[in-house]
Amino acid sequence: MQQKLTEQITLVASVIKWACYASIVGVLVGLGTTAFLRALSWTSGQYVRLPNSYLFLPSALLASSLLVQWLAPDAAGHGTEKVIEAVHKRMGRIPLVVVPVKLVATVITLAGGGSAGKEGPCAQIGAGLASGFGRLLRLEPMDQRKLVICGISAGFATVFGTPIAGALFGIEVLVLGQMLYDVLFPSFVAGIVGYHVATLLGVQYSYQVGRVIPELTSWNFVEMILLGIWCGIVALLLIEAMKLTHRLFDKLPWPKSMNAILGGVMLILIGAFVSKRYLGLGLETIDGGLRGEILPGGACLWKGLATAITLGCGGSGGVVTPIFFIGTAAGNLFAQFLNEPYVATFSAIGMVALLAGAANTPIAASVMAMELFGPSIAPHAAVACMVSFLIVGYRSIYPSQVLGMQKSASLQVTTGKPVGEVNVAVVSHREKSLIGFFALVLRLVKRGEKQ
């Protein structure tokens, strides 16, 4: 009896402890996110008033790149990747200087017209504040790590206004195919508290509840599977484009500061000869697609290219907002191809399905669809998100994400390693037989066409 009583008292004490810790982290992240979003809103407004403001891109990217190089190299890239690396390799220890440097560098990049997102910096700011708070309390390494994960979740929850999906994303993105249940409760607390703090401080979020959601008929079910395949392929192309641009810029025989200038010039050309809609956050295009407007057919390609250039040449910012843009455009294009009347719905599902594939977070993406667009979209979004997640395979927009499962028994991989270091083994005999079957069918079809 005494042992059971001690067990219950210990569990209650643990809940109270982590509720307090996570609440403090949520308040800190809510304050940090609000400061970042207000700074971004003000500076972006100043640049918009200038004629041809995107011509400042080379100088903006150069300033952002030098700021990160000189003061906080850990603030480089799209934020979330560095946080994942810190959680897995350094038990979540992040220098506190990363917070102000990441904030300023991202504001400069986005205000100047760089194609990046605002969630990565918020995740890194949240993780940095949580790490500093953990060091102040002199927590042991495992508790420090849990606190940093809470900061990541709160960062995502406060920047998008989705407290549950944000908390889930912060946990699901760390390990492909596994959820860290020991951090689930404090992450929820941190995300909800951070969201409410940001709301009380005046941060406003836009919600697009779908007006018309088609019934999940047999044909519509097939459409969701096809949309998931399409979004998975687009996510795969984005991941490979990001890798390629990073490699190409790293191979150039001059200082990294010159990469920023070259990248800025390339973005100016995209803005001048293609469209300025592919520069900056691109929120107007996302909102247009979610309202059912027809987007240009090449929007996926151009936004992906602009984002890869921005982050590859040294710009600072996140990658989820561009993923939302590309996913919305992908779903929009898919609806046009099938001549579907539900353009807004397909755009919304494409937005979350691309996130599920690119970041390997199908659960968080499905919940985000419900928080943003209403519960009636749940079965459609869940199917598309899971298919997109499977189609991408063992790749991720975050190479430091640790592989925790096999997506197919026919492909042999070693779990426990970062996704960026995973080598997929030769296809198994069972899969070879299936491929041979399809090849035989294809040959018979061609033979019939000739006859």
Side-chain angles (χ1 to χ4, degrees):
M1 182 66 182
Q2 184 177 0
Q3 183 179 2
K4 291 182 179 180
L5 182 62
T6 303
E7 177 187 350
Q8 295 306 312
I9 292 175
T10 302
L11 292 173
V12 170
S14 177
V15 168
I16 295 173
K17 165 190 168 182
W18 283 107
C20 294
Y21 283 173
S23 296
I24 295 172
V25 169
V27 172
L28 292 174
V29 177
L31 294 171
T33 300
T34 301
F36 167 71
L37 293 177
R38 286 186 174 176
L40 179 60
S41 176
W42 184 83
T43 51
S44 297
Q46 301 303 310
Y47 269 87
V48 166
R49 294 189 185 96
L50 297 174
N52 298 323
S53 58
Y54 66 96
L55 296 177
F56 291 92
L57 264 167
S59 57
L61 292 177
L62 176 61
S64 176
S65 176
L66 292 177
L67 185 66
V68 170
Q69 288 180 45
W70 291 345
L71 299 181
D74 284 342
H78 48 87
T80 308
E81 166 65 14
K82 291 291 185 181
V83 173
I84 295 173
E85 182 180 312
V87 168
H88 289 310
K89 295 183 178 180
R90 300 191 297 275
M91 298 301 289
R93 294 187 65 85
I94 300 172
L96 197 58
V97 70
V98 165
V99 175
V101 172
K102 190 65 180 180
L103 191 153
V104 175
T106 302
V107 166
I108 292 173
T109 297
L110 292 174
S115 177
K118 53 187 179 179
E119 87 300 325
C122 288
Q124 198 161 18
I125 289 169
L129 291 172
S131 179
F133 176 59
R135 289 197 297 273
L136 183 65
L137 297 179
R138 297 182 179 179
L139 297 179
E140 56 186 52
M142 287 304 297
D143 284 353
Q144 166 91 9
R145 182 173 180 265
K146 288 177 68 173
L147 209 62
V148 169
I149 296 173
C150 292
I152 301 171
S153 296
F156 282 111
T158 52
V159 74
F160 290 126
T162 54
I164 305 303
L168 287 172
F169 188 90
I171 300 170
E172 193 177 14
V173 77
L174 297 173
V175 182
L176 190 161
Q178 291 183 7
M179 296 283 286
L180 305 178
Y181 284 96
D182 59 326
V183 201
L184 196 57
F185 167 68
S187 291
F188 278 150
V189 172
I192 293 169
V193 171
Y195 165 74
H196 282 292
V197 168
T199 303
L200 290 173
L201 293 175
V203 176
Q204 296 181 346
Y205 304 101
S206 60
Y207 295 91
Q208 300 276 349
V209 178
R211 295 185 178 88
V212 181
I213 306 294
E215 294 183 10
L216 195 59
T217 61
S218 56
W219 167 240
N220 188 252
F221 185 78
V222 172
E223 283 184 319
M224 291 302 106
I225 294 177
L226 295 175
L227 177 58
I229 293 173
W230 166 238
C231 288
I233 293 172
V234 174
L236 176 60
L237 293 175
L238 174 64
I239 293 169
E240 295 302 322
M242 294 282 289
K243 291 180 182 177
L244 179 62
T245 51
H246 274 85
R247 285 200 302 267
L248 293 177
F249 276 113
D250 287 342
K251 288 181 179 180
L252 293 176
W254 53 49
K256 289 187 177 180
S257 56
M258 292 299 297
N259 289 350
I261 295 174
L262 174 61
V265 172
M266 294 170 71
L267 292 174
I268 288 176
L269 294 176
I270 291 175
F273 295 103
V274 183
S275 174
K276 287 188 284 187
R277 74 163 67 225
Y278 304 119
L279 306 180
L281 287 169
L283 298 180
E284 299 82 4
T285 302
I286 296 174
D287 289 339
L290 296 178
R291 287 194 302 268
E293 297 177 7
I294 300 299
L295 302 181
C300 303
L301 170 66
W302 289 112
K303 185 62 177 179
L305 180 61
T307 303
I309 292 172
T310 299
L311 298 177
C313 74
S316 180
V319 74
V320 172
T321 307
I323 285 175
F324 284 169
F325 184 116
I326 297 167
T328 301
N332 195 282
L333 181 61
F334 187 83
Q336 295 177 51
F337 179 75
L338 292 184
N339 199 25
E340 272 286 347
Y342 307 106
V343 176
T345 301
F346 275 75
S347 298
I349 296 172
M351 187 184 93
V352 294
L354 198 87
L355 175 65
N360 288 298
T361 54
I363 297 175
S366 300
V367 174
M368 181 175 287
M370 290 186 282
E371 286 192 285
L372 292 176
F373 310 118
S376 58
I377 204 171
H380 306 76
V383 172
C385 286
M386 282 306 305
V387 173
S388 177
F389 163 74
L390 293 171
I391 289 297
V392 168
Y394 303 105
R395 301 173 184 84
S396 174
I397 203 73
Y398 307 119
S400 293
Q401 189 177 58
V402 171
L403 181 63
M405 62 163 283
Q406 293 188 1
K407 291 189 178 183
S408 171
S410 300
L411 297 174
Q412 298 178 354
V413 293
T414 303
T415 58
K417 298 173 62 176
V419 175
E421 300 175 10
V422 168
N423 294 317
V424 181
V426 179
V427 181
S428 70
H429 294 294
R430 179 174 50 186
E431 193 74 14
K432 285 181 179 178
S433 301
L434 188 60
I435 293 173
F437 170 75
F438 282 120
L440 176 60
V441 171
L442 183 60
R443 286 197 298 269
L444 290 175
V445 170
K446 289 183 177 179
R447 186 179 302 172
E449 289 176 353
K450 291 179 179 179
Q451 293 176 352

